[in-house]
Amino acid sequence: MLPKAVNLIEGDAALAGLSLESQDVVLSACCFPPLLDDDFRQNLADRMWGWVKLGGGVIFYDFLYSNPANPDVRGVLCVE
C-alpha cells in the first residue's frame, strides 16, 4: 500500500549498501533489543544516522526498558 517512491530494504543493515546522506528517513522497528553488544548497537545507530540527509531523521520504534524475564533482549534505556 506504500507509494512506489518508497524503497523498503529488508535484511542486515550493515550490508544495505546505502550511500551517506542519501535517505530522507530511516526506519528502525524492533531492531535494537536483541543486540546486546553496546559497540555494535552504537555502530548501527551511527550508520543509520549517516544515511540520513540534512533535515531528515531516523524513526525509531523499540521498547525502552528491559524485560527481566528475558535476558536475550535489552531495552534501549538499559541501566546496569
Side-chain angles (χ1 to χ4, degrees):
M1 305 302 285
L2 295 171
K4 289 183 181 183
V6 173
N7 181 22
L8 294 178
I9 301 170
E10 183 180 358
D12 186 337
L15 303 176
L18 296 171
S19 299
L20 292 176
E21 299 180 6
S22 63
Q23 305 301 305
D24 295 313
V25 176
V26 173
L27 168 67
S28 169
C30 299
C31 178
F32 282 80
L35 304 176
L36 302 179
D37 182 276
D38 289 331
D39 291 335
F40 189 87
R41 279 180 162 210
Q42 186 62 54
N43 223 0
L44 179 57
D46 292 343
R47 183 179 297 256
M48 291 167 63
W49 277 106
W51 294 328
V52 178
K53 294 177 185 174
L54 183 63
V58 174
I59 298 172
F60 183 78
Y61 180 82
D62 254 313
F63 54 89
L64 296 177
Y65 303 102
S66 297
N67 178 349
N70 186 351
D72 294 326
V73 297
R74 188 173 54 156
V76 295
L77 291 182
C78 178
V79 178
E80 296 184 22

